Amino acid sequence: MRLISGSHVHEKILAVILCVSLVVLSLLSDKFMTVENILNQGRLIAEIGLVALPMTLIIVTGGIDLAVGSILGLSAIVLGITWKNLGLPLGAAMFSAVLAGVCAGLFNGYLVTRMRVPPLITTLATLALFRGIAEGLSQARSVRGYPEWFFFLGQGEILGVPVQLLILLAAIAAFWFLLARTVLGRSLYAIGNNEVAARYSGIAVDRIKLMIYGLSGMLAGLAGVVFVSRVSTTRSDMGSGLELDVIAAVVLGGTSIFGGRGTIVGTVLGFVLIGLLKNGLALTGVKGDATIVVIGLVLILSILASNLLERRNE
Amino acid sequence: MAARQVSGARQGLNHVLFSQEMALVIALLSLFIVVGLINERFVAERNVMSILMAHAYIAVAAIGMSMVIVTGNIDISVGSLIGVLAAVSGTIATQGHPVWVAWTVPILLAMLISGSLGILVAYCRIPSIVASLGYLSILKGGLIIWTGGAWISDLPDAFGLALFRPLGIPTPIWFMVLLTVAAAYWMRNSRLGRSFYAVGGNAEAARLAGMSPQRLVATVFVINGFFVGIAGVLFATQLKVIQTTVPPYLELTIITASVVGGVSILGGTGTVVGSTLAAVLLAAIGSALIFINVSPFWVRATYGCLILATVLFDLHRRRLQRFRL
């Protein structure tokens, strides 16, 4: 009983669910628990994971970013266009893709902090706007024919580990440190718990918010480049619906949608669990898109469970 | 006393002139005049009717969405629910049941599903954005498992509710207009309608005034289910076949209509007349871009700009009002 009381209740519940599903899935399919499959899953998890990390920071401050999927798509298109149509070297095109992500994120941050538009509305509008710009720029033409070295990012491996998984691990370490071990991280919780109080205690609320929305755009841009490298082509509908997977992962990981509570460890557990469930179910013969039913159920049930436990602990 | 009444009347007039609804009417009229001058086929009755017919179900769904947002909640599962309802409706019709069964069962089902979502939000305290995100996944995935994405065809002729034209006007337009007028009147004058505003404005104050915020929130989701159900049936019956996939970004278009229509995402304000006008405006803009030879790939970017412009305009106006007070 001590296991389900005390701190980090939600993370513990999640870890238990994760273990149970690992056991069940490996019993259901002998292809599941193979090194090859697990590493391969790392490739698919990476994009969701990269975007989920800054999303955790944003939700901890009580905000939300619905535009991440569209920023990913926009960055992918910027990559394709600057390389193919403008003739920039691919390295510069990759840089401009991430830069486009940063600009898009900062634009969100600007609307939220300076114009005081609620984050839900801001990013709902820019979800349409950024996806619209991506569609308008690409005119539904896809870009292909990237040089071989570019695919290293999304298809290559170092010592047998997929490259994007290493990028993700580095990002996890950085975001964990940022949120759990720095003054900035503590300020994020303060903003999420009581923004006015945070402001009065001298925290530069607006600057911090602007920064984390920019960070969110940057990682969405990076995820876009990784995405293009993984699938070898650029299309304007890339990353549509990503925001829902990412928010599901973050909330599943125990971050309160009202702000003030959440950890990077929880988020990592969240997106790993989502990735494993999708993969494991696909291996046991459930049709690809249908696996999202389980994600929806897990999302609702996990929050119900932690709400109940919390009420009992009180 | 008399002076106060006069200023009250003037304020009422100001209220109408500078309301979101009036702004939308002006935007709609100028859109039709400007684009009509460039290409007169845009204002032809045929085109106007087809714009209204194809998008009326979005306006109907936006009525329910506006009520949900007025109480300070949101429902992002409506797009997926409409997809599921269309498939349910079509399946019932092709199995030889009377068409009225195929029309009413989806509405009841929607009220049931939406109602259960409302219970999760109101009584189990799961934030509406998270709970409806879960429902979105479940409904969307469930639809794929159930139908495998196959199209439903061979629908009986009598099933095409949205294709009828009583008194020469297509049924979707009847539904849109009548439901908007009825819902607007009801929101303004009924006890329940008023209490939705009260809960959205200040749930704690509403509770102290003797209302039950939990029961009201659960109720508003059931009512939303009613409108989503009708939207689902209109969507299912507007073509001779039903594609059993969830239309992409449908929930966003519906939420956009509510927000552009002046419903504050913070709860407490907004009207369903505004959301219907906004749904028509969005549809008209999509069509207008084609008539002035702008690539349809720019439609979504235009919607994005429109939401931003509306919200910024609205915030600016509120700040001015506060300044005047």
Side-chain angles (χ1 to χ4, degrees), chain A residues 111 115 117 120-121 124-125 127-129 131-132 135-136 139-140 240 244 257 289-290 292-293 296 300 303-304 307 311, chain B residues 124-125 127 130 133-137 141-142 144-145 249 252 255 265 295 297-298 300-301 304-305 308 311 315 319:
Chain A
L111 289 170
M115 310 304 282
V117 183
L120 187 70
I121 293 290
L124 186 66
L127 184 160
L129 181 63
R131 178 72 61 197
E135 286 173 346
Q139 296 292 313
S240 59
L244 299 182
I257 202 87
D289 291 338
I292 58 177
V293 173
I300 289 179
I303 295 176
L304 267 183
N307 275 5
R311 215 173 291 172
Chain B
C124 305
R125 289 161 201 249
V130 177
L133 175 62
Y135 267 55
L136 184 158
S137 276
I144 298 166
I145 295 178
Y249 296 109
L252 286 179
I255 297 171
I265 204 80
S295 147
F297 294 114
W298 285 108
R300 210 180 315 281
C305 290
L308 270 184
V311 173
L315 287 171
R319 241 160 256 163

Side-chain angles (χ1 to χ4, degrees), chain B residues 211-245:
Chain B
M211 302 172 202
S212 160
Q214 293 184 325
R215 197 180 307 155
L216 285 169
V217 168
T219 311
V220 85
F221 274 91
V222 176
I223 296 173
N224 180 39
F226 172 73
F227 288 103
V228 175
I230 293 176
V233 173
L234 290 177
F235 176 72
T237 56
Q238 67 180 356
L239 296 170
K240 294 278 184 201
V241 289
I242 298 170
Q243 305 177 32
T244 60
T245 48

Side-chain angles (χ1 to χ4, degrees), chain B residues 50-63:
Chain B
S50 79
I51 293 174
L52 290 175
M53 236 185 104
H55 296 85
Y57 78 97
I58 290 176
V60 171
I63 296 174

Side-chain angles (χ1 to χ4, degrees), chain B residues 24-313:
Chain B
L24 286 165
V25 169
I26 293 169
L28 255 176
L29 285 179
S30 18
L31 181 77
F32 274 101
I33 291 170
V34 171
V35 180
L37 285 175
I38 297 172
N39 188 337
E40 62 185 20
R41 275 179 302 147
F42 178 66
V43 286
E45 192 199 331
R46 238 174 80 100
N47 186 52
V48 175
M49 278 293 173
S50 79
I51 293 174
L52 290 175
M53 236 185 104
H55 296 85
Y57 78 97
I58 290 176
V60 171
I63 296 174
M65 179 66 75
S66 300
M67 292 184 185
V68 171
I69 299 181
V70 158
T71 65
N73 290 287
I74 198 159
D75 183 356
I76 54 175
S77 69
V78 289
S80 306
L81 184 52
I82 287 176
V84 169
L85 296 175
V88 169
S89 183
T91 307
I92 294 173
T94 49
Q95 281 174 351
H97 298 285
V99 286
W100 64 266
V101 178
W103 293 339
T104 46
V105 169
I107 297 174
L108 295 175
L109 184 68
M111 292 170 78
L112 204 69
I113 292 176
S114 252
S116 68
L117 176 60
I119 288 171
L120 283 180
V121 173
Y123 293 99
C124 305
R125 289 161 201 249
I126 303 183
S128 55
I129 185 167
V130 177
S132 60
L133 175 62
Y135 267 55
L136 184 158
S137 276
I138 295 170
L139 292 168
K140 201 174 180 181
L143 181 62
I144 298 166
I145 295 178
W146 177 38
T147 67
W151 290 27
I152 300 174
S153 51
D154 297 328
L155 294 162
D157 281 340
F159 175 68
L161 179 67
L163 301 171
F164 299 154
R165 301 175 82 97
L167 306 179
I169 295 169
T171 29
I173 300 177
W174 279 112
F175 272 102
M176 178 174 80
V177 173
L178 294 179
L179 287 174
T180 303
V181 171
Y185 181 81
W186 183 79
M187 285 288 276
R188 216 181 155 77
N189 297 303
S190 76
R191 194 186 166 85
L192 195 55
R194 301 300 308 170
S195 31
F196 289 156
Y197 286 103
V199 167
N202 187 336
E204 184 57 21
R207 196 183 63 79
L208 292 174
M211 302 172 202
S212 160
Q214 293 184 325
R215 197 180 307 155
L216 285 169
V217 168
T219 311
V220 85
F221 274 91
V222 176
I223 296 173
N224 180 39
F226 172 73
F227 288 103
V228 175
I230 293 176
V233 173
L234 290 177
F235 176 72
T237 56
Q238 67 180 356
L239 296 170
K240 294 278 184 201
V241 289
I242 298 170
Q243 305 177 32
T244 60
T245 48
V246 177
Y249 296 109
L250 181 56
E251 61 279 345
L252 286 179
T253 311
I254 293 168
I255 297 171
T256 302
S258 291
V259 172
V260 173
V263 180
S264 164
I265 204 80
L266 302 174
T269 58
T271 70
V272 298
V273 176
S275 73
T276 298
L277 286 171
V280 174
L281 180 65
L282 290 176
I285 289 174
S287 167
L289 287 180
I290 298 166
F291 276 89
I292 55 172
N293 286 325
V294 174
S295 147
F297 294 114
W298 285 108
V299 170
R300 210 180 315 281
T302 318
Y303 283 8
C305 290
L306 190 71
I307 313 176
L308 270 184
T310 316
V311 173
L312 289 175
F313 175 71

Side-chain angles (χ1 to χ4, degrees), chain A residues 2 32 43 63 94-95 114 123 129 131 140 142 153 155 197 201 221 231 236 246-247 252 266 276 300 302:
Chain A
R2 267 189 66 195
F32 179 72
R43 288 196 195 284
M94 287 160 73
F95 178 76
R114 293 276 176 274
T123 56
L129 181 63
R131 178 72 61 197
S142 61
L153 203 55
Q155 300 172 22
S201 44
V231 301
S236 64
V246 169
I247 293 168
L252 191 58
L276 286 183
I300 289 179
S302 76

